[in-house]
Amino acid sequence: MKIIILGAGQVGGSLAAELASEANDITVVDVDATRLRVLGDRLDIRTIQGRGSLPTVLRQAGADDADMLIAVTSSDETNMVACQVAYSMFRTPTKIARIRESAYLTRDGLLGNDHLPVDVVISPEQAVTNYIKRLIQHPGALQVLDFAEGKVQLVAVRAYHGGPLVGQELRYLRQHMPSVDTRVAAIFRRDRPITPKGDTIIEADDEVFFIAASEDIRAVMSELRRVERSNKTVMIAGGGNIGERLAEAIETRYRVKIVENNRARADYLAQHLDRAIVLYGSASDRELLIDENIEEVDIFCAVTNDDEANIMSSLLARRLGARRVMALINNPAYVDLVQGGQIEIAISPSHATLGTLLTHIRRGDIVNVYSLRRGAAEAIEIVAHGDARSSKVVGRAIRDIKLPPGTTIGAVVRGQKVLIASDSLVIESDDHVILFVIDKKHIRDVERLFQIGLTFL
């Protein structure tokens, strides 16, 4: 595909790296020459310096025959105007815009070809909010992904010393939990992927990705790690867009405190949040944390726009007794440094957003895509079409499907039924198939596997 990306920040840069590795024709546009030079030195892409909303700049970037425009600059207005220009002047087939301001998103009829021609809206703040909310709902999880409108979840947990399944073969999982249907989709051991088989033995500290119907997730987690009590108290450091949205999303279910160091912003939050307690001050203030009983906080979540502030406040909160800490971190180098130590979960906004974009870029009838392990792996929900003559998957048992190396089918959703994958399960047309791909270089092979042959057409 020929794709123009406007914006060379964290989201645009991560997306360019992801797509350039898959032999797409990528052009990145930004006003910052330094950012473009860094990207151009690292990736096989074209770069254009200029304002992406200008017709001349878009033409220079190749908009005349581009398949897709992805506008992810820091300005909502630039992104929307760029989509308008791409539609009016170049008839670009697909236009994706990053829009942060909720006032634009809540007006019916504003977006669409008859008005502002944006085909897909992405909101990094909302993606991160949903990501954190799922983690809070599942104590002990490293990652929680929804498929089939929430009917199925893929959850990552770390196996612990002395756990019921540590030292056991995977086939023991079914014997140990006969009433719960689940499947291990992938295992990462010391950052290396292992394709799970019946005789694979789980070791302590393995990162285990398992898939199950949403109502069975907690039961399976209890087999892999200690049963953690439900979260009740959440402290949010940072009252920006993400902090505000997160507080709104969880304040009816949890006791929420939000710490904001800007007085005007703290006053605004106090007026607009219904139940959350707003504290004016710094989340790195030891006395403030002690006064607010940090040792009784189940989740401390730092979501300011400053990586260093998030890391330091999280480390302080953990030292003072917070049960679990999470930090929002934009710099990829910091993520590898801190994750898994005192800070259990480092949240990357660009990777939380990447899956939304990839859903519209992948070929085939794709419903969901999640970028995992900082882009190394992917979880995909794809709809099977055709019949036994035209499709390489429909009408075949899973054992007979020639899956690319490192690819696992975890579950199939048929109507309202969740079917955990087994060798004998036969794929039917219109099934939602959930796959885990541990090596991203095989994504194209997965897409080709689900393409319909000429006999069907």
Side-chain angles (χ1 to χ4, degrees):
M1 296 177 74
K2 187 171 182 179
I3 301 170
I4 300 172
I5 300 173
L6 306 184
Q10 285 292 336
V11 174
S14 298
L15 185 62
E18 183 87 9
L19 298 178
S21 66
E22 300 173 9
N24 292 292
D25 181 358
I26 305 297
T27 301
V28 177
V29 180
D30 199 286
V31 294
D32 190 326
T34 304
R35 279 181 175 176
L36 292 175
R37 186 170 60 253
V38 171
L39 267 185
D41 290 344
R42 187 163 55 91
L43 306 172
D44 182 19
I45 59 173
R46 288 179 66 223
T47 60
I48 302 290
Q49 185 181 4
R51 284 168 51 200
S53 56
L54 297 178
T56 50
V57 174
L58 285 175
R59 176 163 276 125
Q60 188 183 355
D64 285 310
D65 58 349
D67 298 300
M68 182 178 292
L69 174 79
I70 304 174
V72 288
T73 75
S74 58
S75 166
D76 290 351
E77 291 75 18
T78 297
N79 296 337
M80 291 188 289
V81 170
C83 288
Q84 179 70 68
V85 173
Y87 172 75
S88 301
M89 293 191 64
F90 304 108
R91 295 296 170 185
T92 305
T94 304
K95 301 160 292 298
I96 299 175
R98 169 185 184 168
I99 300 178
R100 288 172 157 174
E101 180 54 62
S102 58
Y104 290 129
L105 304 176
T106 54
R107 296 293 181 273
D108 291 337
L110 180 62
L111 303 175
N113 284 348
D114 293 336
H115 303 281
L116 276 170
V118 178
D119 300 309
V120 180
V121 173
I122 60 164
S123 170
E125 289 82 3
Q126 194 57 49
V128 169
T129 299
N130 294 341
Y131 185 98
I132 297 172
K133 182 181 174 183
R134 288 195 296 267
L135 288 172
I136 292 171
Q137 289 170 342
H138 294 86
L142 299 173
Q143 200 162 13
V144 183
L145 310 174
D146 280 343
F147 295 95
E149 299 177 333
K151 297 183 187 72
V152 179
Q153 289 183 320
L154 179 71
V155 178
V157 297
R158 196 172 302 283
Y160 71 97
H161 288 276
L165 289 179
V166 171
Q168 302 281 354
E169 293 184 351
L170 280 181
R171 63 168 61 96
Y172 179 73
L173 181 61
R174 188 172 292 275
Q175 299 168 17
H176 195 64
M177 303 180 67
S179 60
V180 176
D181 212 4
T182 186
R183 183 181 177 100
V184 173
I187 297 172
F188 285 85
R189 181 172 298 159
R190 293 179 284 278
D191 288 330
R192 298 185 62 181
I194 295 171
T195 302
K197 298 177 182 175
D199 59 356
T200 301
I201 295 175
I202 296 176
E203 295 183 6
D205 292 327
D206 280 355
E207 193 173 325
V208 182
F209 285 82
F210 68 89
I211 195 164
S214 299
E215 60 266 23
D216 295 331
I217 290 296
R218 191 156 176 81
V220 181
M221 284 181 67
S222 67
E223 293 300 311
L224 293 168
R225 53 179 300 116
R226 299 173 188 86
V227 178
E228 297 195 16
R229 71 172 191 265
S230 297
N231 295 315
K232 294 180 180 178
T233 306
V234 179
M235 182 177 284
I236 301 168
N241 286 331
I242 293 174
E244 180 186 5
R245 290 186 188 205
L246 181 60
E248 285 177 339
I250 66 173
E251 65 179 349
T252 57
R253 291 189 58 182
Y254 306 94
R255 293 196 299 272
V256 178
K257 295 180 179 180
I258 183 166
V259 184
E260 171 55 47
N261 64 3
N262 179 286
R263 186 55 186 258
R265 182 66 179 174
D267 289 341
Y268 167 85
L269 292 171
Q271 293 171 21
H272 286 81
L273 294 173
D274 294 329
R275 299 191 182 183
I277 296 171
V278 181
L279 306 170
Y280 168 56
S282 169
S284 297
D285 183 339
R286 186 174 184 273
E287 298 306 317
L288 183 147
L289 295 181
I290 291 172
D291 288 346
E292 294 301 326
N293 303 313
I294 186 66
E295 73 279 2
E296 297 177 4
V297 169
D298 294 315
I299 297 281
F300 179 91
C301 188
V303 292
T304 75
N305 57 8
D306 184 321
D307 286 357
E308 289 81 2
N310 291 340
I311 292 169
M312 296 310 294
S313 62
S314 296
L315 291 174
L316 178 61
R318 185 58 185 264
R319 175 164 289 187
L320 293 175
R323 188 159 66 95
R324 203 156 189 243
V325 296
M326 308 177 193
L328 189 72
I329 299 177
N330 285 284
N331 188 332
Y334 288 176
V335 173
D336 293 326
L337 281 173
V338 304
Q339 172 135 326
Q342 293 296 302
I343 299 174
E344 290 98 334
I345 300 175
I347 301 154
S348 167
S350 57
H351 275 105
T353 309
L354 204 51
T356 309
L357 291 165
L358 293 175
T359 301
H360 301 282
I361 293 166
R362 297 274 177 250
R363 296 176 176 89
D365 190 354
I366 305 286
V367 181
N368 280 302
V369 176
Y370 294 98
S371 179
L372 307 173
R373 301 211 38 102
R374 296 180 284 291
E378 279 188 19
I380 302 172
E381 178 184 346
I382 188 168
V383 182
H385 293 294
D387 56 24
R389 291 177 305 149
S390 63
S391 170
K392 296 175 184 175
V393 296
V394 174
R396 289 169 172 76
I398 288 176
R399 71 165 72 90
D400 300 323
I401 298 173
K402 294 179 180 178
L403 292 169
T407 302
T408 308
I409 294 179
V412 172
V413 178
R414 185 173 296 158
Q416 297 299 311
K417 291 176 62 179
V418 175
L419 307 171
I420 299 302
S422 63
D423 289 346
S424 59
L425 178 62
V426 177
I427 305 296
E428 296 181 2
S429 185
D430 295 327
D431 279 354
H432 287 234
V433 182
I434 299 158
L435 304 103
F436 195 103
V437 186
I438 62 174
D439 190 341
K440 192 167 64 68
K441 72 182 181 185
H442 294 298
I443 293 293
R444 285 283 175 264
D445 299 327
V446 172
E447 292 173 345
R448 281 192 286 269
L449 183 67
F450 280 80
Q451 285 176 350
I452 299 171
L454 290 175
T455 52
F456 181 71
L457 297 176

